[in-house]
């Protein structure tokens, strides 16, 4: 009886739009699948030939009215390019959570969606946000015993998950005699599948049961502050905390300044300071990037490798700082 009451209550919320969505699905033959708090179209869509689109073809859509559904959104976002997948985040009541992801057949289609629909008035007084999707790739594993080693954890993760790039182990900031680990995967999809695998299993290391969640940015910064050594293990060899040599400071600053000028922002100011040097020559830098007139500067910490490419450590740190601000601006503008 309680379940029937909840179902009736859910159906009554935004009832007219829900009925319109069902009629649209029936009329178009489009199938929407809801699972794990999201409703998905495509992935691949009907008639798709070949593999999935390359990386960098997904856009993030925010500030959606919560009573709008795919019968409005799919035709709208499909008007600028071919959609491979559309994912609308849903609440228990059947309203949307105000944001969605659209993955296109090509990067050009995704770029057109951003150019066309960013700040688009979906309704009067309701301008939506559309920008490149910055997909999460890092997981936090907590509940590890103090005796768990990084090598043991790596071996376990390589056995049960795919696409792992790096593993770092830290003392827990909140629990004595406990450790936590940060896992970085090669893609959001690999990280999401690993999270699902680790959460569904009863994976244990010794007496410790793993607890897995997405890495929180605030905790990530806190761990960087407490970190005593640069990451020593790069499982697949393709990752490095140092800035790759091809990224020159001049080129990155040019991209950053161009983006700021385009949106009528002033030239950013970058500050860096070396706060620690370890015996291997790695330098721990603090950095801050601020746009004059902006109230919130972007700041953080990083490890920089000893220079062997003719680029100073301060230049490398400034490249990382500029790239960080580029990502922040791409999400917000």
């Amino acid at each position: 009886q309680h379940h029937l009451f909840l179902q009736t209550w859910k159906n009554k919320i935004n009832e007219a739009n829900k009925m319109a969505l069902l009629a649209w699905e029936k009329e178009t033959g489009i199938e929407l699948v809801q699972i794990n708090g999201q409703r998905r179209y495509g992935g691949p869509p009907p008639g798709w030939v070949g593999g999935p689109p390359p990386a960098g073809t997904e856009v993030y859509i925010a500030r959606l009215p919560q009573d709008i559904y795919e019968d409005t959104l799919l035709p709208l976002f499909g008007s600028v390019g071919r959609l491979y997948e559309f994912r609308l985040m849903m609440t228990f009541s059947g309203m949307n959570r105000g944001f969605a992801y659209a993955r296109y057949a090509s990067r050009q289609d995704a770029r057109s969606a951003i150019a066309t629909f960013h700040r688009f008035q979906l309704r009067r007084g309701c301008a939506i946000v559309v920008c490149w999707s910055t997909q999460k790739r890092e997981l936090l594993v907590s509940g590890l015993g103090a005796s768990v080693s990084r090598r043991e954890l790596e071996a376990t993760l390589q056995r049960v998950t795919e696409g792992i790039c790096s593993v770092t182990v830290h003392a827990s900031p909140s629990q004595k005699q406990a450790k936590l680990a940060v896992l970085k995967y090669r893609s959001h999809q690999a990280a999401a599948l690993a999270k699902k695998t680790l959460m569904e299993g009863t994976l244990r290391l010794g007496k410790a049961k793993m607890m897995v969640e997405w890495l929180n940015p605030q905790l990530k910064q806190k761990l960087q502050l407490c970190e005593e050594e640069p990451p020593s293990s790069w499982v697949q060899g393709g990752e490095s905390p140092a800035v790759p040599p091809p990224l020159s400071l001049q080129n990155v600053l040019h991209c950053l300044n161009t983006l700021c000028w385009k949106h009528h922002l002033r030239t950013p100011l970058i500050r860096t300071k070396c706060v620690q040097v370890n015996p291997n020559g790695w330098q721990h830098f603090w950095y801050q990037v601020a746009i004059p007139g902006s109230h919130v500067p972007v700041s953080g910490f990083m490890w920089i490798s000893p220079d062997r490419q003719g680029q100073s450590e301060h230049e490398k740190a400034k490249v990382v700082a500029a790239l960080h601000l580029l990502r922040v601006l791409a999400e917000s503008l």
Side-chain angles (χ1 to χ4, degrees):
Q1 189 174 5
H2 178 67
H3 175 74
L4 183 62
F5 171 77
L6 284 177
Q7 190 63 47
T8 303
W9 172 76
K10 284 169 57 179
N11 292 341
K12 289 293 183 183
I13 295 176
N14 200 28
E15 184 176 11
N17 286 4
K18 288 177 181 176
M19 295 301 293
L21 174 65
L22 290 173
W24 175 79
E25 286 183 81
K26 186 175 181 179
E27 180 184 345
T28 60
I30 285 177
E31 183 180 0
L32 303 175
V33 178
Q34 185 162 337
I35 187 170
N36 295 333
Q38 60 180 298
R39 194 160 59 208
R40 189 180 70 185
Y41 160 77
W48 182 270
V49 177
T57 52
E58 185 173 85
V59 301
Y60 170 68
I61 306 156
R63 299 183 187 172
L64 291 170
Q66 287 190 274
D67 59 348
I68 277 184
Y69 297 130
E70 290 87 346
D71 53 330
T72 297
L73 298 172
L74 280 176
L76 180 69
F77 284 91
S79 67
V80 294
R82 190 178 181 194
L83 284 169
Y84 174 79
E85 183 180 60
F86 190 92
R87 295 180 291 127
L88 183 63
M89 304 301 116
M90 304 299 296
T91 68
F92 173 76
S93 67
M95 303 282 276
N96 80 64
R97 292 172 58 193
F99 67 101
Y101 296 89
R103 190 175 181 187
Y104 284 89
S106 69
R107 189 173 176 85
Q108 181 57 49
D109 288 346
R111 190 179 290 113
S112 296
I114 294 172
T116 305
F117 296 124
H118 181 55
R119 296 177 179 166
F120 177 76
Q121 294 275 341
L122 198 56
R123 287 179 181 165
R124 186 173 181 178
C126 178
I128 60 176
V129 169
V130 182
C131 59
W132 293 108
S133 171
T134 54
Q135 299 182 329
K136 298 176 182 178
R137 296 170 54 200
E138 293 177 301
L139 301 176
L140 176 72
V141 178
S142 55
L144 298 174
S147 62
V148 172
S149 70
R150 173 181 48 77
R151 183 168 296 180
E152 181 185 9
L153 180 59
E154 283 179 2
T156 301
L157 293 168
Q158 284 180 304
R159 190 173 68 251
V160 299
T161 69
E162 294 183 0
I164 190 164
C165 295
S166 68
V167 178
T168 54
V169 177
H170 310 261
S172 173
S174 57
Q175 291 179 289
K176 291 184 179 180
Q177 301 300 313
K179 289 182 179 178
L180 48 80
V182 174
L183 321 178
K184 187 171 184 180
Y185 285 82
R186 67 167 176 256
S187 66
H188 174 75
Q189 183 178 10
L193 288 173
K195 181 174 181 286
K196 187 172 184 290
T197 299
L198 296 173
M199 288 180 67
E200 288 179 349
T202 54
L203 198 60
R204 292 178 180 271
L205 289 173
K207 295 182 179 179
K209 183 180 179 181
M210 292 169 132
M211 292 173 283
V212 188
E213 59 189 311
W214 293 110
L215 178 62
N216 181 292
Q218 287 75 32
L219 179 59
K220 180 178 180 178
Q221 188 171 42
K222 187 174 182 180
L223 292 175
Q224 288 173 332
L225 282 168
C226 298
E227 192 175 88
E228 295 180 358
E229 291 290 329
S232 58
S233 171
W234 302 97
V235 176
Q236 295 188 347
E239 298 278 336
S240 170
V243 178
L247 290 175
S248 74
L249 179 60
Q250 183 178 2
N251 289 343
V252 175
L253 286 180
H254 176 72
C255 293
L256 178 59
N257 291 337
T258 300
L259 182 63
C260 288
W261 297 334
K262 180 180 177 181
H263 292 277
H264 309 292
L265 301 173
R266 296 169 68 182
T267 303
L269 304 175
I270 302 177
R271 298 172 60 199
T272 60
K273 182 178 181 181
C274 181
V275 295
Q276 181 186 353
V277 180
N278 80 357
N280 294 326
W282 288 72
Q283 297 186 25
H284 205 193
F285 272 84
W286 167 85
Y287 67 89
Q288 183 183 79
V289 194
I291 299 175
S294 172
H295 299 296
V296 184
V298 173
S299 62
F301 288 82
M302 76 195 85
W303 283 98
I304 296 295
S305 68
D307 178 63
R308 296 185 181 90
Q309 302 290 336
Q311 189 179 37
S312 74
E313 281 75 13
H314 274 280
E315 284 183 327
K316 291 181 182 180
K318 287 183 177 180
V319 169
V320 173
L323 287 172
H324 188 176
L325 184 59
L326 273 171
R327 284 195 293 269
V328 171
L329 289 175
E331 293 176 12
S332 59
L333 293 176

